[in-house]
Amino acid sequence: MIFIHPIMGIFVGLCLSFVTAQVVGLLILFDMPIDMVTFVVLSMAIGFEIEYVVHIAHAFMRTTGTGVERLRTCLRSMGYTVFWAFASTAVQSLLFLIVARSQTFKTFSLVLVIVVVLGGFAGFSFVPSTLAAVVDLTARSEKS
């Protein structure tokens, strides 16, 4: 059974690629080396990105109506859960970063905070708004 439309899968993959590129760009901007700790956190954090983005995209695909109606419905049904998932993970990582003494734990926490915030933003705001715009533009072009 296919859970997501193939075009939606491509869109989600592109969104995840953009988030990962942003994370790597911020790591370069912060002059953080891509060492073993960073690589492990990035590998693990891709799961967070997938969780946030796919849950919202799946909820959007399961609804009907115009793009804005689908956006509202998907955020009502899944937005609260996704928001608190990334907010709680970010707060936990920030607390861990504050009390960390070791450079390894600082790196781990900082990379995790970056990934969670960017992935949460993508899943909570970028994905549903982009999908709503695409649905509305498609509906307008079909009417003309």
Side-chain angles (χ1 to χ4, degrees):
M1 178 177 183
I2 298 176
F3 292 107
I4 197 162
H5 192 275
I7 293 175
M8 183 62 64
I10 293 170
F11 173 75
V12 167
L14 286 173
C15 184
L16 294 173
S17 299
F18 293 151
V19 171
T20 304
Q22 289 174 341
V23 170
V24 171
L26 283 174
L27 293 177
I28 292 169
L29 183 70
F30 292 151
D31 201 27
M32 292 182 67
I34 309 267
D35 57 3
M36 192 62 166
V37 174
T38 309
F39 180 75
V40 168
V41 177
L42 283 175
S43 300
M44 180 187 75
I46 289 173
F48 288 115
E49 292 176 31
I50 291 170
E51 178 184 350
Y52 306 144
V53 172
V54 170
H55 277 87
I56 293 292
H58 185 71
F60 188 91
M61 291 301 292
R62 293 286 180 171
T63 60
T64 58
T66 66
V68 174
E69 291 168 351
R70 292 172 80 173
L71 177 129
R72 286 186 186 131
T73 305
C74 89
L75 287 180
R76 277 190 208 120
S77 67
M78 192 59 71
Y80 184 76
T81 307
V82 169
F83 175 77
W84 285 112
F86 84 80
S88 66
T89 306
V91 168
Q92 292 168 3
S93 297
L94 278 173
L95 289 175
F96 194 55
L97 180 62
I98 290 169
V99 299
R101 301 253 187 247
S102 165
Q103 186 61 36
T104 302
F105 291 128
K106 288 179 183 179
T107 301
F108 177 87
S109 299
L110 183 61
V111 173
L112 194 58
V113 166
I114 291 170
V115 169
V116 167
V117 169
L118 289 176
F121 176 75
F124 193 68
S125 62
F126 177 74
V127 170
S129 59
T130 304
L131 291 176
V134 168
V135 167
D136 284 344
L137 287 173
T138 314
R140 285 185 195 154
S141 68
E142 289 175 358
K143 287 181 182 179
S144 338

